[in-house]
């Protein structure tokens, strides 16, 4: 299974015993939308709902930080996702939250995970079937392990300011990157991590919501001044859309990429970290 699959491919695979479809839609708290309610109102047949908001470390002050491996495995087992599953993720979110779900699943040990190109909007636009409610699922064993090499911490980003070993890309909107537009959280400083490149996550998609690929995808990074031959660290506001450029470079075959989970929220609240607006 490819990392990116089409609606036509998924329609042809429906009913396969090892296939698990997952709705990974997530909205910001102030979006005025309820991801679970929308899922129950209509989803791809057989899909289960992954509550990304709940898949976080609730012990700290930072949003969206990775949960423990044990918590993650428990939640996946309750969704019927386990060893031997082929997992296809989709969403209906402007944040493209299925990329975050893809990152977490692959980092915690899932071996066959893909994103549905175009997500639920494309599936609906083709008049493909939907179902409502919640399907009954059978718990499956999920063998979990954590690949910390895919995670960057604040200390790693701080060190990178000096050795410039990796390219740092920021998936927030450009006006937030420059500081022209304030952060959604009013207590956060504006601007960006010095030396980072602005790559707003929406630039990685066509107008119909499908992913750019190949040379079009490379051009997004190159136009932002990113050297794709160097390792990469991705960031955003709270670790959600940072998964979009991370998945994008995986589509290009690049694997030396990490996600800064604390992201701008952690960086901006530390008075000792440098901030830039130019």
């Amino acid at each position: 299974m490819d990392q990116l699959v089409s609606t036509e491919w998924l329609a042809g695979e429906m009913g396969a015993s090892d296939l698990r479809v997952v709705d990974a839609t997530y909205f910001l708290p102030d979006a005025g939308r309820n991801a679970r309610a929308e899922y129950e109102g209509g989803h791809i047949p057989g899909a289960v709902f992954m509550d990304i908001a709940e898949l976080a470390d609730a012990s700290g002050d930072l949003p969206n930080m990775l949960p423990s491996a044990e918590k993650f495995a428990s939640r996946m087992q309750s969704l019927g996702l386990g060893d031997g599953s082929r997992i296809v993720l989709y969403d209906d979110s402007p944040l493209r939250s299925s990329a975050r779900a893809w990152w977490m699943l692959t980092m915690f040990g899932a071996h066959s995970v893909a994103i549905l190109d175009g997500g639920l909007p494309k599936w609906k636009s083709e008049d493909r079937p939907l179902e409502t409610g919640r399907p009954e699922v059978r718990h499956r064993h999920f063998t979990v392990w954590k690949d910390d090499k895919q995670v960057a911490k604040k200390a790693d980003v701080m060190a990178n300011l000096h050795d410039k070993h990796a390219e740092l890309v920021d998936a927030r909107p450009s006006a937030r990157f420059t500081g022209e537009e304030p952060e959604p959280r009013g207590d956060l400083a504006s601007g960006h991590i010095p030396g980072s490149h602005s790559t707003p996550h929406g630039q990685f998609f066509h107008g119909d919501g499908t992913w750019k690929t190949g040379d079009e995808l490379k051009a997004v990074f190159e136009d932002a001044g990113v050297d794709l031959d160097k390792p990469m660290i991705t960031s955003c506001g709270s670790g959600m859309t940072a998964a979009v450029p991370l998945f994008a470079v995986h589509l290009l075959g690049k694997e030396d990429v990490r996600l800064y989970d604390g992201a701008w929220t952690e960086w901006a609240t530390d008075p000792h970290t440098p901030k830039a607006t130019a």
Side-chain angles (χ1 to χ4, degrees), residues 253-268:
K254 184 177 178 63
E255 297 185 357
D256 53 345
V257 55
R258 293 179 288 168
L259 189 149
Y260 174 27
D261 210 23
W264 183 250
T265 299
E266 181 180 44
W267 192 268

Side-chain angles (χ1 to χ4, degrees), residues 3 217-218 228 246-257:
Q3 296 176 105
L217 202 52
K218 289 181 181 178
L228 287 172
L246 181 141
F247 182 73
V249 292
H250 273 275
L251 289 177
L252 294 173
K254 184 177 178 63
E255 297 185 357
D256 53 345
V257 55

Side-chain angles (χ1 to χ4, degrees), residues 3 24 50 52 55 64-67 72 89 96-110 113-115 145-153 234 238-240 242-247 250 255 257-262:
Q3 296 176 105
M50 179 186 288
I52 293 181
L55 280 171
N64 302 327
M65 295 295 285
L66 284 167
F72 188 84
L89 304 157
R96 311 293 182 174
S97 48
S98 54
R100 171 78 183 191
W102 181 91
W103 177 65
M104 287 194 290
L105 278 161
T106 55
M107 196 198 62
F108 281 119
V113 189
I115 290 178
W145 60 284
K146 186 176 180 181
D147 183 6
D148 286 322
K149 297 190 299 295
Q150 294 192 46
V151 184
K153 300 185 182 302
T234 66
S238 62
M240 185 63 61
V244 170
L246 181 141
F247 182 73
H250 273 275
E255 297 185 357
V257 55
R258 293 179 288 168
L259 189 149
Y260 174 27
D261 210 23

Side-chain angles (χ1 to χ4, degrees), residues 13 21 28 53-54 77 79 91 103 133 157-158 164 171 175 188 201 218 231 235 238 260-261:
E13 290 291 310
V21 183
L28 292 173
E54 200 274 335
Q77 289 171 175
L79 293 177
D91 67 71
W103 177 65
V157 179
M158 187 70 79
K164 295 178 171 56
L188 294 184
H201 79 279
K218 289 181 181 178
S235 182
S238 62
Y260 174 27
D261 210 23

